[in-house]
Amino acid sequence: MIAMVSGRDNTMPQTPPPADTFPYAKIGIYGWRKRCLYMLVLVMVVLIIINLALTVWIIRVMNFTVDGMGKLRIVDQGVRVEGQAQFLNEVYVSNIKSTSGSAVTVESGKNITLRSRNDKAKGDVSSTLFLGNKKVKAFCDKFEVLDKSGDSRLTVDDNQVKIGAKQQLTVNSEAGTVFEKSIQTDHIRGKSTKNLK
């Protein structure tokens, strides 16, 4: 058997080719893109820390608790305000009470208007009490003033005006009193020094 031996070796050396000649791209972010990404993450972390700090500061300043906020407490029957409260717009309530031993004071820069509405679906105004500058107005079908025992002292409606004095009715007027229609009474008495006219 004859073997042929050639002078050349057909095997190639196994060294890796240079990096520029790889057939696939590098995986990952390199260079300026990587620095921008780190900067964006850093800015986001700073904004989150500032946001959390401001939230904690607002909670402490406004005195937020589980029960309410500041002097405003949420209770089973509604809302309880301890101290003074200022309302900038309208307030709709069904009941305002003070704690025992303290008074309720309502103040206004211009006037105070109290309105009651009927129970119908329309909610029309049935009566209004207006406290203005040096005047009080009541708009209603019947106006009544009672004493502490519940007896009527003054009643005004479309048909009549009743004054309920227990002892005597005294009218103090320099010009006197004028009645356009008849008066019905059991007794009229003037001052002892002056005659009745």
Side-chain angles (χ1 to χ4, degrees):
M1 182 162 177
I2 301 177
M4 276 182 72
V5 177
S6 85
R8 262 175 48 174
D9 188 8
N10 289 336
T11 60
M12 301 278 290
Q14 296 295 321
T15 60
D20 325 1
T21 61
F22 271 123
Y24 51 88
K26 291 192 264 183
I27 298 175
I29 299 174
Y30 298 100
W32 66 270
R33 291 182 188 100
K34 187 176 189 179
R35 285 190 292 274
C36 286
L37 183 64
Y38 285 150
M39 184 61 73
L40 180 66
V41 169
L42 182 66
V43 167
M44 293 286 285
V45 168
V46 169
L47 287 177
I48 290 171
I49 291 172
I50 290 173
N51 192 5
L52 288 174
L54 286 175
T55 303
V56 169
W57 178 75
I58 288 172
I59 288 173
R60 291 199 53 164
V61 167
M62 297 298 287
N63 196 11
F64 280 111
T65 62
V66 177
D67 297 329
M69 171 181 92
K71 303 283 184 180
L72 184 71
R73 300 283 181 239
I74 299 169
V75 294
D76 292 337
Q77 295 83 18
V79 177
R80 179 179 178 165
V81 178
E82 299 169 350
Q84 294 183 355
Q86 294 181 358
F87 299 99
L88 302 178
N89 289 320
E90 298 171 344
V91 177
Y92 297 96
V93 295
S94 61
N95 192 356
I96 296 176
K97 291 191 294 187
S98 69
T99 57
S100 60
S102 62
V104 174
T105 303
V106 179
E107 292 183 24
S108 173
K110 289 189 174 183
N111 62 47
I112 297 173
T113 304
L114 302 174
R115 290 189 186 103
S116 66
R117 298 184 181 273
N118 59 12
D119 293 333
K120 296 179 182 173
K122 291 182 183 178
D124 295 331
V125 175
S126 60
S127 60
T128 302
L129 179 65
F130 176 83
L131 305 171
N133 188 11
K134 299 181 181 178
K135 61 185 169 186
V136 176
K137 291 182 181 179
F139 302 95
C140 54
D141 293 333
K142 183 177 182 181
F143 180 75
E144 191 169 7
V145 177
L146 305 173
D147 63 6
K148 59 184 174 182
S149 63
D151 295 332
S152 177
R153 293 291 156 239
L154 173 67
T155 304
V156 180
D157 61 16
D158 289 340
N159 300 324
Q160 63 185 355
V161 174
K162 283 185 184 178
I163 299 174
K166 286 191 176 182
Q167 296 295 324
Q168 69 181 31
L169 174 64
T170 303
V171 178
N172 291 328
S173 173
E174 292 179 9
T177 305
V178 176
F179 297 97
E180 294 182 2
K181 302 289 182 177
S182 63
I183 298 175
Q184 195 173 25
T185 181
D186 295 335
H187 183 73
I188 295 179
R189 185 182 72 188
K191 287 188 176 180
S192 59
T193 58
K194 294 186 178 179
N195 294 330
L196 278 174
K197 294 181 181 180

